[in-house]
Amino acid sequence: MTQFSLDLVSQLTEIHNAGVRRGKPDLVGDAVVELISRLTSGGVAGKFDDIREVQAKRYWDLGVGRELGFSSFEAYLASIPQLPTAFNVDNTEFPIRVLVETRIGLKRLCEIGNIAFEGNDETFIAYDERYSEFKQPTWIRIQDGRKNRNRSVKDCRKNFAKYERGLTALRGVCAYLQHAEVVSEWTKDGAHVMDLSGSVLSEIRGFAAFLGVDEGRAKLYWHWLDFARSKYGSASSREC
């Protein structure tokens, strides 16, 4: 990773000024100014210690707040629910806490999160009414599916506990945006791909969603739910 330093800023300043003198476009365009404004509004990402602020800031830095019309991070944060009290206690079965942001849709969330997705907001539907998507931002606790590798989506769904639900495509995307380690490059040893059994292909219900990483970029796609694969495992959340 390139080290960002004062020397680098100085070089950029020189390049910018030289370009302006030669009549070239402004190096610091509106997009850069908007990015700086968004990243510095409410503080730099990672500064907060409170998980609610940390995860809200992650969405803010991606541009979710702007998409929703919020003018500041504080205004966006006010729309995020408080963390349920029970989520402050460790849970070894569902150890990962995720803020699910539902309000801009799956397709747009993938776009701003740099997740490859060939579909749209109608590509996937809920497996049944238990998997209907949240209407507002909601906190969930999940496991990322590593314990279910080499088991088919169909088998996992059938054997989930009564309080357990497979993740939907949207919830899986949110889990990745907040915790990138939930999936890993599929070509490497120990690779992991999350099956998202709560969402099925609208045109062919025998295909379920999955999220993996291919050549360094996350990808949301679908595959046949009857086959077990050594690198794939169904992620799930605990229903209260």
Side-chain angles (χ1 to χ4, degrees):
M1 180 179 292
T2 301
Q3 180 67 38
F4 195 78
S5 64
L6 291 176
D7 287 341
L8 182 57
V9 173
S10 179
Q11 291 176 41
L12 287 172
T13 301
E14 291 178 8
I15 294 170
H16 165 71
N17 292 338
V20 171
R21 286 195 296 270
R22 292 196 299 269
K24 291 189 175 182
D26 190 345
L27 179 64
V28 185
D30 291 342
V32 175
V33 172
E34 190 279 331
L35 175 63
I36 293 172
S37 176
R38 173 156 44 88
L39 292 178
T40 56
S41 175
V44 178
K47 176 181 177 181
F48 302 111
D49 295 324
D50 181 82
I51 187 174
R52 173 173 172 266
E53 294 183 344
V54 169
Q55 295 204 16
K57 191 62 163 62
R58 170 61 175 154
Y59 288 130
W60 176 261
D61 290 349
L62 287 171
V64 172
R66 179 187 58 186
E67 294 279 331
L68 294 171
F70 292 101
S71 59
S72 69
F73 172 65
E74 289 75 13
Y76 175 66
L77 180 63
S79 74
I80 301 300
Q82 296 291 331
L83 193 72
T85 302
F87 281 36
N88 291 317
V89 180
D90 290 341
N91 185 316
T92 57
E93 189 176 10
F94 299 94
I96 305 170
R97 296 172 292 184
V98 177
L99 173 60
V100 179
E101 175 56 86
T102 64
R103 294 173 289 181
I104 65 172
L106 178 63
K107 176 66 172 178
R108 187 59 183 144
L109 197 59
C110 286
E111 289 173 347
I112 66 177
N114 193 32
I115 297 171
F117 178 43
E118 298 177 4
N120 54 46
D121 287 344
E122 283 72 50
T123 296
F124 294 116
I125 58 175
Y127 171 63
D128 61 31
E129 66 277 1
R130 295 173 299 169
Y131 296 89
S132 298
E133 203 47 78
F134 303 126
K135 301 301 183 183
Q136 296 295 328
T138 303
W139 289 96
I140 60 175
R141 298 197 76 137
I142 76 165
Q143 59 82 25
D144 63 17
R146 280 179 166 84
K147 69 176 185 179
N148 289 324
R149 281 191 288 199
N150 208 29
R151 296 177 63 193
S152 71
V153 169
K154 186 175 182 180
D155 177 59
C156 287
R157 191 188 284 149
K158 181 173 62 176
N159 289 287
F160 281 150
K162 290 182 179 181
Y163 54 78
E164 187 176 10
R165 298 286 182 271
L167 294 192
T168 63
L170 179 63
R171 297 175 202 184
V173 165
C174 290
Y176 168 74
L177 292 177
Q178 296 292 347
H179 306 278
E181 69 277 6
V182 296
V183 291
S184 58
E185 179 66 49
W186 76 274
T187 58
K188 295 183 178 180
D189 293 340
H192 180 60
V193 178
M194 284 199 310
D195 279 327
L196 305 170
S197 63
S199 293
V200 295
L201 199 60
S202 59
E203 296 181 354
I204 309 174
R205 288 182 54 86
F207 286 80
F210 73 82
L211 182 72
V213 176
D214 185 10
E215 296 184 349
R217 187 183 182 191
K219 180 178 182 180
L220 178 64
Y221 206 66
W222 52 87
H223 64 174
W224 190 247
L225 55 78
D226 279 342
F227 300 134
R229 297 169 173 84
S230 61
K231 298 179 180 180
Y232 292 65
S234 291
S236 63
S237 64
R238 180 183 177 91
E239 296 294 298
C240 298

